[in-house]
C-alpha cells in the first residue's frame, strides 16, 4: 500500500488517462473521480515544488490563479452550449479533454517532486 | 523531521507522525473543511436570497463568482504573511475572517451589503488554503505526505456535506439568515489552533537562517517570478489552471442545469442539494475508503 501512497505526486499521469477514458464511458460520476484524484494532489505537489522561503506565497498564488481560469469555464461552456446549439455535453467533453491534455503537458514539463524533503536550507534567499 | 525514521523495523505510516504533527495537520484540515462549509452554504440559499431582495438569480450567482475570484487576493496576501510571520497567525486570521464575514452577511439589510461581505469572505477563504497547506505539509512526515494531502484537500467535500446537512435540518426553522449565522461557528477552531498547534520546525529554522545570514526574502511574490523559480512557477500555474479547467468542465454540469431549473421550481433546490451531496460523499469516500466503496456510494446517491 505504501508505495502506492507515495506515488501520489506522480499519479497525475495515470489519473489523467484514467479520467479521460472514464469520462467517455461514464461521464459525470467517473469524471468526479478523475477530477477528485487530480485535485487532491495539490497541497503536496505545490508545497514540494517551492522552497520554504516562498512556499506559502507561491502555493497560494499558483493554486488560486488556477481558480480564476476555472471560473471562466462555466460561462464559456454555456456560450458554446447555447449559441452554437451544442448542448452541454459536447463543450464539457471538449473542455475536459483539452484541460487534460494541457494538464498532462504541464506535468511533463514540471519537476517530479516525489520524495522531496522540505528543508530549512535557504535556497532562493 | 525524520527522527521517527531512526529504527530499522518498519512502523505503520499512521504511527509515524508525532502528536504535534497530527495537531498541525488537523488544524489545516479543520480550517479547510469549515471553509468549505461557509462557502457552500451560500449555494443552497441563493434562491431565497434572490427572492427576499428581489434580485435576479444571476446577480446572486455573480456573488459566488466574485467570492471565488477574491480568493486569489486572500491567498497571495496570507501566503506572503505566512512566509514572513509563520503559518499559525495567518491561519487564525483567515478562519476568523471568513466566519465573521459570513455572520455579518446574515444581517444584510440590502443586497449590496450581502454582496460586499460575501466578496470579502472570498479573501478569507483563499487565505486559509496556503497557510493550512504549508502548515500541514511541512509538519507531516514525508512517507505519507501525499496521502494526507489527499485527505486534506478532499475534505472540502466533507465541509460541503456538512453545509447541506445544516441546510436540510435547519433551513425551515432558521431560514437563510440563520444558516449564515451558523457560519460563525468555525471561529471556535481558532482556539484550537492557538492552543495546540506549533509552527512547523522547517519554517522556524528557515526563518532563523534568513535572519542570521541576513538573506531575507522580503517580497516572496516577486521572488517566484525571478530567474531560478520562474519556470517552476509558470509550469505550476499552467498545471493548476488546467486542473481547474478539467474540474470545472466536469463540475459545470452540476451548477448549470440546476441553476436553470431553480428559476422554475423550488424542488430544484433539493435537486441541487442531492447533487451536492452525491458529489461530496464521492470525494469524502474516495479519500477514505477507496474506489469500490466510493462507487457504491455514488450508486446510492
Amino acid at each position: 500500500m505504501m508505495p502506492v501512497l507515495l506515488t501520489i505526486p506522480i499519479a497525475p499521469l495515470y489519473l489523467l488517462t484514467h479520467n479521460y477514458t472514464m469520462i467517455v464511458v461514464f461521464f459525470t460520476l467517473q469524471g468526479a473521480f478523475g477530477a477528485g484524484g487530480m485535485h487532491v494532489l495539490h497541497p503536496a505537489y505545490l508545497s514540494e515544488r517551492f522552497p520554504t522561503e516562498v512556499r506559502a506565497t507561491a502555493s497560494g498564488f499558483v493554486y488560486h490563479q488556477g481558480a480564476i481560469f476555472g471560473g471562466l469555464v462555466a460561462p464559456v461552456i454555456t456560450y458554446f452550449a447555447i449559441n452554437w446549439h451544442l448542448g452541454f455535453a459536447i463543450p464539457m467533453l471538449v473542455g475536459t479533454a483539452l484541460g487534460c491534455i494541457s494538464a498532462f503537458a504541464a506535468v511533463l514539463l514540471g519537476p517530479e517532486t516525489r520524495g522531496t524533503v522540505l528543508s530549512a536550507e535557504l535556497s532562493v534567499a | 523531521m525524520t527522527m521517527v525514521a531512526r529504527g530499522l523495523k518498519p512502523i505503520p505510516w499512521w504511527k509515524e507522525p508525532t502528536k504535534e504533527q497530527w495537531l498541525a495537520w488537523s488544524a489545516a484540515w479543520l480550517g479547510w473543511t469549515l471553509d468549505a462549509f461557509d462557502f457552500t452554504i451560500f449555494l443552497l440559499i441563493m434562491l431565497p436570497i434572490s427572492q427576499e431582495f428581489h434580485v435576479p438569480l444571476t446577480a446572486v450567482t455573480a456573488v459566488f463568482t466574485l467570492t471565488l475570484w477574491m480568493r486569489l487576493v486572500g491567498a497571495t496576501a496570507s501566503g506572503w504573511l505566512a512566509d514572513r510571520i509563520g503559518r499559525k497567525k495567518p491561519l487564525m486570521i483567515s478562519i476568523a475572517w471568513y466566519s465573521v464575514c459570513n455572520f455579518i452577511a446574515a444581517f444584510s439589510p440590502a443586497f449590496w451589503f450581502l454582496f460586499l461581505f460575501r466578496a470579502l469572505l472570498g479573501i478569507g477563504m483563499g487565505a486559509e488554503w496556503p497557510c493550512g497547506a504549508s502548515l500541514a505539509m511541512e509538519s507531516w512526515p514525508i512517507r505519507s505526505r501525499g496521502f494526507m494531502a489527499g485527505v486534506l484537500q478532499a475534505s472540502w467535500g466533507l465541509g460541503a456535506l456538512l453545509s447541506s446537512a445544516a441546510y436540510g435540518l435547519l433551513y425551515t426553522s432558521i431560514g437563510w439568515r440563520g444558516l449564515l449565522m451558523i457560519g460563525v461557528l468555525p471561529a471556535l477552531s481558532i482556539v484550537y489552533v492557538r492552543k495546540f498547534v506549533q509552527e512547523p520546525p522547517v519554517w522556524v529554522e528557515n526563518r532563523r537562517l534568513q535572519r542570521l545570514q541576513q538573506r531575507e526574502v522580503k517580497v516572496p511574490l516577486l521572488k517566484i517570478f525571478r530567474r531560478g523559480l520562474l519556470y517552476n512557477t509558470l509550469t505550476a500555474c499552467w498545471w493548476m489552471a488546467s486542473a481547474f479547467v478539467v474540474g470545472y468542465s466536469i463540475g459545470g454540469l452540476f451548477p448549470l442545469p440546476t441553476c436553470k431549473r431553480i428559476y422554475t421550481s423550488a424542488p430544484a433546490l433539493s435537486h441541487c442539494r442531492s447533487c451536492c451531496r452525491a458529489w461530496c460523499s464521492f470525494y469524502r469516500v474516495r479519500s477514505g475508503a477507496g474506489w469500490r466503496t466510493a462507487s457504491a456510494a455514488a450508486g446510492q446517491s
Side-chain angles (χ1 to χ4, degrees):
Chain A
M1 183 171 86
M2 284 329 297
V4 180
L5 298 179
L6 271 177
T7 45
I8 283 179
I10 47 167
L13 299 182
Y14 154 80
L15 278 166
L16 291 178
T17 339
H18 196 79
N19 171 293
Y20 182 65
T21 328
M22 288 294 218
I23 206 121
V24 181
V25 183
F26 199 16
F27 198 74
T28 314
L29 295 182
Q30 305 295 12
F33 262 137
M38 196 158 65
H39 280 269
V40 295
L41 301 167
H42 303 330
Y45 192 42
L46 290 178
S47 296
E48 287 170 355
R49 282 182 81 139
F50 294 97
T52 309
E53 294 96 304
V54 297
R55 182 167 298 120
T57 314
S59 57
F61 176 80
V62 168
Y63 181 85
H64 289 92
Q65 63 82 33
I68 288 186
F69 288 97
L72 290 174
V73 167
V76 170
I77 284 181
T78 317
Y79 169 79
F80 280 110
I82 291 169
N83 296 30
W84 288 38
H85 305 288
L86 289 172
F88 280 99
I90 301 291
M92 279 170 67
L93 185 62
V94 172
T96 311
L98 288 181
C100 281
I101 294 166
S102 165
F104 188 82
V107 168
L108 281 184
L109 291 171
E112 170 55 71
T113 64
R114 180 185 159 198
T116 306
V117 177
L118 304 180
S119 78
E121 305 288 305
L122 300 186
S123 70
V124 292
Chain B
M1 276 269 308
T2 50
M3 45 187 165
V4 201
R6 236 186 284 126
L8 278 175
K9 69 173 178 195
I11 46 166
W13 68 268
W14 60 87
K15 285 193 185 154
E16 193 181 338
T18 59
K19 193 173 155 227
E20 283 71 33
Q21 289 169 331
W22 275 108
L23 290 173
W25 183 86
S26 309
W29 175 81
L30 261 180
W32 186 234
T33 308
L34 298 172
D35 187 333
F37 178 88
D38 275 12
F39 182 67
T40 52
I41 195 78
F42 191 73
L43 295 175
L44 301 166
I45 54 173
M46 288 198 294
L47 183 66
I49 288 174
S50 78
Q51 285 166 347
E52 175 151 349
F53 295 117
H54 306 290
V55 286
L57 198 69
T58 39
V60 186
T61 50
V63 178
F64 177 69
T65 312
L66 191 69
T67 310
L68 270 178
W69 287 19
M70 292 305 272
R71 277 166 47 172
L72 181 60
V73 179
T76 312
S78 82
W80 193 323
L81 260 182
D83 282 330
R84 299 295 298 165
I85 65 168
R87 288 24 176 151
K88 258 179 83 175
K89 269 183 208 149
L91 182 65
M92 292 191 287
I93 295 171
S94 65
I95 296 175
W97 188 302
Y98 67 68
S99 308
V100 169
C101 283
N102 224 18
F103 191 68
I104 298 176
F107 297 97
S108 303
F111 183 65
W112 66 264
F113 190 89
L114 184 95
F115 198 99
L116 177 71
F117 276 92
R118 284 296 301 193
L120 287 174
L121 178 134
I123 297 180
M125 251 196 81
E128 195 281 333
W129 196 88
C131 311
S134 304
L135 176 67
M137 295 298 101
E138 282 172 349
S139 303
W140 201 260
I142 190 166
R143 182 160 65 144
S144 47
R145 193 194 287 145
F147 176 68
M148 288 309 266
V151 182
L152 173 63
Q153 187 74 10
S155 297
W156 176 264
L158 185 63
L161 194 73
L162 281 176
S163 72
S164 34
Y167 175 83
L169 294 172
L170 299 170
Y171 178 69
T172 40
S173 46
I174 58 176
W176 67 265
R177 286 178 193 272
L179 285 172
L180 286 180
M181 278 179 225
I182 290 180
V184 79
L185 293 179
L188 293 175
S189 62
I190 297 170
V191 181
Y192 165 83
V193 178
R194 194 175 155 75
K195 203 155 175 217
F196 295 107
V197 179
Q198 288 167 8
E199 292 290 351
V202 173
W203 179 84
V204 176
E205 176 62 11
N206 179 279
R207 194 74 188 81
R208 195 185 64 84
L209 287 175
Q210 282 189 46
R211 286 211 185 90
L212 194 72
Q213 304 179 14
Q214 301 195 326
R215 288 162 64 196
E216 299 207 25
V217 180
K218 291 224 167 77
V219 194
L221 185 59
L222 290 180
K223 202 80 189 176
I224 61 174
F225 290 103
R226 289 271 177 75
R227 216 170 42 183
L229 272 182
L230 179 66
Y231 179 78
N232 193 4
T233 307
L234 291 182
T235 47
C237 283
W238 182 3
W239 146 254
M240 265 323 305
S242 314
F244 267 105
V245 168
V246 174
Y248 281 67
S249 294
I250 299 164
L253 187 71
F254 288 94
L256 285 177
T258 0
C259 279
K260 269 197 155 169
R261 237 172 286 169
I262 272 173
Y263 276 109
T264 49
S265 64
L269 219 77
S270 71
H271 170 75
C272 171
R273 201 177 49 182
S274 63
C275 266
C276 249
R277 198 177 290 158
W279 210 24
C280 306
S281 52
F282 231 89
Y283 273 72
R284 197 180 53 146
V285 179
R286 193 201 162 281
S287 63
W291 296 80
R292 236 178 357 183
T293 330
S295 332
Q300 272 170 26
S301 347

